[in-house]
Amino acid sequence: MAIDFVENQYEYTDSPHQFIDKLKSELYRYNNESDKLHFISIIRNFIQNDHDKHYKDCKNRENCNELKDYNKSLFFIDGIRTDYGIKLNKDDIFSENEKKNYNNKLDQILHDLQEMKQGQEIIYNDLLEEIEELKKLYFLGKKNWKQLLAGKTVEMVAGGIVSETVSTQLIRLTGIVTGNLLK
């Protein structure tokens, strides 16, 4: 729905301000703040990708109105995210390659567990649910997402959902040095 929205609205508005007004109106349709943030994240990524493509080929970067409009839109979208409690600097935003990389690593962990799950379907299903939820939360930013992953991992170890081997793989994704945290 976010892609449809941005494709149908961004190109057909006269200004970034108009687009942001339409975006804010659209967000009122969603009750869940997580859904709103996910929606905003998809739109921001779409506009950022368009910006980056245009920037590569732009011959007049200093005075390009299209680049200015992209930058204004990104600025206002970041303001909306801040209103929902998500303040990210540019380095904290996941790139599409980083998302794919983390998704591949999480999928590999699930694949390895799938082979070992005989008789452990409930545990596997709990872990699958947690990992699928994490894949939807990249809009939180790298620091918050990694902290959430670490917290969920510790919670799953304490609850007996995952073993030390699996928890070590998950914690490695966070880059957090744990020492004896999980022992």
Side-chain angles (χ1 to χ4, degrees):
M1 291 189 320
I3 296 294
D4 286 343
F5 175 81
V6 74
E7 286 178 342
N8 291 321
Q9 298 298 325
Y10 192 74
E11 296 295 322
Y12 302 107
T13 55
D14 293 331
S15 71
H17 297 287
Q18 262 188 351
F19 174 73
I20 295 302
D21 288 343
K22 289 181 180 184
L23 174 59
K24 286 179 179 179
S25 293
E26 182 69 15
L27 291 174
Y28 283 115
R29 303 173 90 200
Y30 298 91
N31 294 327
N32 186 325
E33 286 199 15
S34 178
D35 291 340
K36 290 178 184 184
L37 287 166
H38 188 64
F39 190 89
I40 294 167
S41 179
I42 290 168
I43 288 173
R44 190 192 190 291
N45 288 343
F46 185 94
I47 293 172
Q48 183 69 55
N49 287 338
D50 279 0
H51 170 277
D52 295 347
K53 287 176 194 172
H54 182 78
Y55 186 84
K56 272 192 232 177
D57 299 329
C58 187
K59 305 255 189 282
N60 186 18
R61 292 179 183 165
E62 297 294 318
N63 298 313
C64 179
N65 287 329
E66 194 168 346
L67 282 177
K68 288 177 185 177
D69 285 348
Y70 284 130
N71 288 330
K72 286 177 189 175
S73 296
L74 293 169
F75 175 80
F76 291 128
I77 290 170
D78 289 343
I80 293 171
R81 281 199 311 203
T82 301
D83 292 345
Y84 287 106
I86 305 295
K87 179 145 178 67
L88 305 174
N89 62 40
K90 189 170 180 129
D91 295 334
D92 200 32
I93 298 171
F94 282 96
S95 70
E96 289 304 312
N97 285 338
E98 288 171 322
K99 289 179 192 178
K100 287 177 187 174
N101 184 33
Y102 279 106
N103 283 345
N104 288 339
K105 289 177 181 180
L106 291 169
D107 288 340
Q108 183 60 46
I109 292 169
L110 287 174
H111 175 74
D112 294 347
L113 287 172
Q114 178 72 27
E115 294 175 358
M116 300 171 18
K117 84 169 192 176
Q118 296 169 351
Q120 303 290 324
E121 283 84 8
I122 293 172
I123 291 172
Y124 174 80
N125 290 339
D126 288 343
L127 182 60
L128 174 64
E129 192 175 294
E130 293 290 342
I131 287 177
E132 291 304 321
E133 180 182 336
L134 281 166
K135 288 179 179 180
K136 296 176 183 174
L137 298 175
Y138 290 119
F139 63 81
L140 294 173
K142 294 175 187 176
K143 180 182 175 188
N144 291 332
W145 186 86
K146 289 177 180 182
Q147 288 174 342
L148 182 63
L149 173 59
K152 284 185 172 287
T153 301
V154 170
E155 184 179 301
M156 289 186 287
V157 169
I161 294 174
V162 297
S163 67
E164 186 178 324
T165 305
V166 173
S167 66
T168 302
Q169 289 177 292
L170 290 169
I171 289 294
R172 259 192 228 126
L173 289 177
T174 68
I176 297 171
V177 178
T178 59
N180 293 328
L181 178 66
L182 297 174
K183 291 184 180 183

